[in-house]
């Protein structure tokens, strides 16, 4: 295991604490690790699915940027 | 990598062209609402994802969360309420579940799916957002003149109104592609409502020294009498960039937005908007987004400590001035000399000089920039 320390907003911490109590997680720590695991998988899926822009959209944008002189 | 959009996804709520014609043909049956300048510009910013993750105007739960915690109910930082107000008469003409056609200057500008109509406390709103209920504060004055109800619901923007600045506007999708094409990993954004003087130039160049690209993002919108006209600001910047900035390190494009003058809260909002454009850093100067003496000189910088999770790095600057002791441009953090050796840059003096057709002192503004401004018959808003 690797130990990291991060700053999170007070409001979020309080919600995590309350949530940990409600779902019976042993600690905020355990809940955070679960949530991170879930979040990381979701982001990886998004990236794999090429969620952002299609090739066609990108080339249309490139063309506009060129016509306006933003790109050579 | 440029910044991830705020909340993770870049929102797009723009009515597709093929649907636009159908909607407009059938729109006669829809209830209509006239929106003001502020809301119209908010609508565009929701549409193109400048306000990601917002997909519409805040409902009562989100408004309360923003007012009390400066965050959306999912905990994401959000400091300025994006709301649509209506009066009693309009309230009677719309119902929950309706699709409403939003009109601006007699033209359709958006569709609103009505999810909630609710009352709100203007005094509380003003106190929380502006830290004052003084009606002399322009942001407070607007809130006090708003209708008594707010409408929450998602929107689709109809890009129909033209203002002549279309070629200066890039959407967040476009700036993101542009930054990537230029190979920029780090981008610092600068927000402005003014013509550039030497102080602005030094702030920008100091920041640019440490990142790959500079994104100058003038706010186009309603101005006060005596302000520089939008086209003057753009031309002045073009001169500065073409003559004095390294080609390929700068992008200038506009954003249409109505200032709230909410000081610290608005500084966070400005940073979020630039994060959505793809910027990784954001310049915050003295009295950012302030007005009068409502906020402390550096309050808009201090508030960032409450948002370690903002996702864009603020760069705090002190005012630049010319110092005869230093022999060049300097600022309080790096200059050891007495005040009487310094020439402070005064926006008022620059304006005064230009309004008499005179080029301001070279320690305040570049001659080339001043001459560009003076090439306009009247550079000021009447
Ligand atoms: Zn000095």
């Amino acid at each position: 295991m690797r130990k990291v320390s991060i700053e999170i907003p007070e409001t979020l911490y309080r919600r995590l604490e309350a949530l940990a109590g409600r779902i019976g997680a042993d600690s905020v720590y355990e809940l955070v690790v679960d949530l991170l695991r879930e979040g990381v998988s979701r982001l990886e899926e998004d990236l794999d699915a090429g969620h952002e822009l299609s090739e066609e959209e990108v080339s249309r944008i490139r063309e506009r940027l060129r016509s306006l002189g933003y790109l050579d | 990598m440029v910044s991830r959009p705020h909340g993770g996804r870049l929102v797009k709520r723009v009515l597709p062209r093929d649907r636009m014609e159908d909607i407009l043909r059938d729109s006669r049956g829809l209830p209509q609402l006239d929106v003001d300048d502020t809301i119209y510009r908010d609508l565009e910013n929701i549409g193109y994802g400048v306000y990601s993750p917002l997909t519409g105007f805040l409902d009562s739960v989100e408004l309360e969360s923003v007012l009390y915690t400066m965050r959306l109910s999912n905990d994401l930082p959000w400091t300025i309420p994006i709301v649509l107000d209506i009066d009693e008469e309009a309230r009677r003409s719309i119902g929950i579940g309706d699709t409403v056609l939003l009109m601006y200057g007699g033209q359709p500008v958006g569709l609103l799916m009505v999810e909630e109509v609710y009352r709100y406390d203007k005094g509380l709103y003003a106190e929380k957002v502006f830290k004052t209920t003084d009606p002399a504060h322009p942001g407070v004055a607007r809130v006090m003149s708003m209708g008594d109800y707010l409408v929450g619901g998602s929107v689709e923007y109809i890009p129909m109104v033209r203002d002549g600045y279309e070629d200066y506007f890039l959407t967040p999708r476009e700036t993101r592609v542009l930054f990537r094409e230029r190979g920029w990993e780090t981008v610092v954004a600068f927000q402005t409502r003014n013509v550039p003087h030497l102080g602005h130039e030094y702030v920008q160049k100091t920041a640019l020294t440490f990142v790959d690209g500079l994104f100058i993002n003038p706010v186009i919108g309603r101005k006060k009498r005596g302000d520089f006209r939008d086209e003057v600001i753009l031309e002045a910047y073009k001169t500065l960039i073409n003559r004095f900035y390294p080609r390929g390190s700068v992008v200038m494009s506009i954003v249409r937005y109505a200032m709230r003058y909410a000081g610290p809260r608005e500084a966070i909002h400005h940073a979020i908007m630039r994060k959505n454009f793809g910027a990784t850093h954001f310049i915050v100067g003295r009295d950012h987004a302030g007005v009068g003496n409502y906020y402390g000189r550096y309050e808009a910088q201090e508030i960032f400590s409450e948002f370690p999770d903002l996702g864009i790095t603020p760069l705090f600057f002190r005012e630049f001035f010319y110092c005869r002791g230093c022999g060049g441009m300097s600022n309080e953090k790096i200059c050891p000399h007495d005040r009487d050796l310094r020439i402070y840059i005064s926006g008022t003096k620059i304006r005064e000089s230009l309004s008499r057709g005179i080029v301001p002192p070279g320690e305040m503004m570049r001659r080339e920039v001043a001459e560009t401004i003076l090439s306009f018959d009247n550079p000021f808003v009447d």
Side-chain angles (χ1 to χ4, degrees):
Chain A
M1 291 294 249
R2 172 147 186 178
K3 194 167 174 172
V4 290
S5 123
I6 56 163
E7 266 186 88
I8 62 171
E10 189 61 42
T11 46
L12 180 59
Y13 186 81
R14 282 201 297 266
R15 287 174 66 196
L16 282 167
E17 237 176 359
L19 191 59
R22 280 173 62 191
I23 63 172
D26 281 347
S27 62
V28 167
Y29 169 78
E30 188 185 313
L31 179 59
V32 165
V33 173
D34 277 354
L35 288 173
L36 277 175
R37 210 174 270 130
E38 216 173 279
V40 167
S41 317
R42 210 189 52 227
L43 278 177
E44 283 168 348
E45 275 167 30
D46 279 2
L47 284 179
D48 293 344
H51 214 285
E52 290 294 299
L53 286 172
S54 69
E55 241 342 281
E56 195 194 327
E57 281 175 293
V58 172
S59 60
R60 213 175 320 127
I61 288 175
R62 271 202 208 103
E63 205 168 299
R64 174 162 196 254
L65 292 171
R66 252 179 232 121
S67 76
L68 294 177
Y70 285 106
L71 284 177
D72 291 327
Chain B
M1 258 314 251
V2 296
S3 253
R4 285 186 70 223
H6 199 49
R9 298 259 169 87
L10 204 53
V11 166
K12 189 174 185 186
R13 306 283 306 179
V14 182
L15 198 68
R17 271 191 194 286
D18 47 332
R19 271 193 59 212
M20 214 186 292
E21 281 164 28
D22 295 347
I23 292 282
L24 295 179
R25 204 176 327 109
D26 303 337
S27 67
R28 257 156 276 162
L30 296 179
Q32 297 188 0
L33 277 180
D34 285 316
V35 299
D36 71 0
D37 186 79
T38 301
I39 294 174
Y40 162 60
R41 288 163 204 283
D42 285 345
L43 188 59
E44 177 176 80
N45 288 327
I46 296 168
Y48 288 123
V50 180
Y51 287 174
S52 298
L54 297 196
T55 54
F57 293 98
L58 300 187
D59 63 23
S60 58
V61 171
E62 295 299 337
L63 175 63
E64 188 176 304
S65 179
V66 168
L67 291 180
Y68 281 99
T69 69
M70 299 198 279
R71 291 169 181 276
L72 298 172
S73 61
N74 68 1
D75 220 62
L76 202 64
W78 198 275
T79 50
I80 296 289
I82 303 301
V83 293
L84 190 153
D85 65 295
I86 55 171
D87 58 17
E88 178 65 42
E89 195 191 326
R91 187 187 70 93
R92 281 197 298 262
S93 71
I94 63 169
I96 311 295
D98 282 356
T99 295
V100 174
L101 189 65
L102 300 176
M103 306 289 291
Y104 175 72
Q107 293 199 67
V109 289
L111 292 174
L112 166 69
M113 279 49 83
V114 179
E115 285 152 33
E116 188 188 6
V117 180
Y118 59 102
R119 288 193 82 105
Y120 64 109
D121 181 338
K122 291 182 181 182
L124 176 82
Y125 184 124
E127 186 61 48
K128 290 285 179 193
V129 176
F130 304 105
K131 301 176 98 176
T132 173
T133 51
D134 182 357
H137 183 296
V140 174
R142 177 169 183 274
V143 171
M144 295 306 170
S145 73
M146 277 164 35
D148 288 338
Y149 300 87
L150 299 176
V151 187
S154 58
V155 295
E156 284 189 279
Y157 173 57
I158 302 174
M160 194 100 111
V161 177
R162 302 188 68 82
D163 63 359
Y165 294 110
E166 283 70 28
D167 286 354
Y168 289 97
F169 177 65
L170 301 180
T171 68
R173 277 176 181 72
E174 290 169 333
T175 52
R176 285 165 175 276
V177 169
L178 176 55
F179 298 159
R180 203 166 49 215
E181 292 280 318
R182 293 233 179 143
W184 295 356
E185 304 245 309
T186 48
V187 184
V188 63
F190 183 83
Q191 118 113 26
T192 183
R193 292 176 284 141
N194 227 322
V195 295
H197 58 51
L198 274 183
H200 301 129
E201 180 178 338
Y202 273 77
V203 165
Q204 292 168 10
K205 286 184 168 173
T206 306
L208 180 57
T209 306
F210 299 99
V211 296
D212 301 327
L214 169 65
F215 176 45
I216 298 173
N217 198 207
V219 172
I220 298 290
R222 193 175 28 144
K223 293 233 152 65
K224 299 190 298 286
R225 204 169 154 245
D227 283 350
F228 288 98
R229 282 172 25 220
D230 290 331
E231 54 176 319
V232 175
I233 295 170
L234 293 176
E235 287 305 316
Y237 259 107
K238 274 201 254 174
T239 298
L240 182 68
I241 292 168
N242 291 338
R243 302 286 298 271
F244 298 100
Y245 283 63
R247 201 180 143 69
S249 298
V250 191
V251 163
M252 177 175 73
S253 73
I254 61 154
V255 61
R256 300 182 184 90
Y257 170 76
M259 287 291 298
R260 269 62 172 191
Y261 303 100
R265 270 196 189 236
E266 191 161 11
I268 299 293
H269 185 64
H270 287 171
I272 292 171
M273 291 164 73
R274 277 47 184 233
K275 176 186 174 188
N276 282 326
F277 278 110
T280 54
H281 295 71
F282 180 66
I283 291 171
V284 187
R286 181 175 60 92
D287 199 24
H288 189 104
V291 64
N293 292 316
Y294 294 98
Y295 312 106
R297 279 162 74 90
Y298 294 103
E299 211 178 323
Q301 301 183 348
E302 286 148 18
I303 192 175
F304 279 83
S305 68
E306 293 175 49
F307 298 94
D309 55 337
L310 196 59
I312 180 167
T313 306
L315 298 179
F316 302 136
F317 278 91
R318 300 270 154 162
E319 197 175 358
F320 272 84
F321 44 75
Y322 183 87
C323 173
R324 285 196 295 273
C326 292
M329 294 299 289
S330 196
N331 68 54
E332 260 166 47
K333 262 188 114 173
I334 56 175
C335 163
H337 302 106
D338 284 344
R339 286 182 71 91
D340 55 6
L341 286 175
R342 299 172 179 175
I343 301 171
Y344 285 89
I345 301 174
S346 150
T348 314
K349 255 189 209 153
I350 291 176
R351 195 176 308 256
E352 223 172 69
S353 167
L354 289 169
S355 68
R356 283 183 292 133
I358 296 167
V359 173
E363 293 88 357
M364 293 194 189
M365 179 176 268
R366 292 205 183 261
R367 164 172 286 277
E368 292 83 349
V369 172
E371 281 168 353
T372 301
I373 298 168
L374 290 173
S375 71
F376 286 85
D377 283 341
N378 177 14
F380 302 103
V381 175
D382 286 322

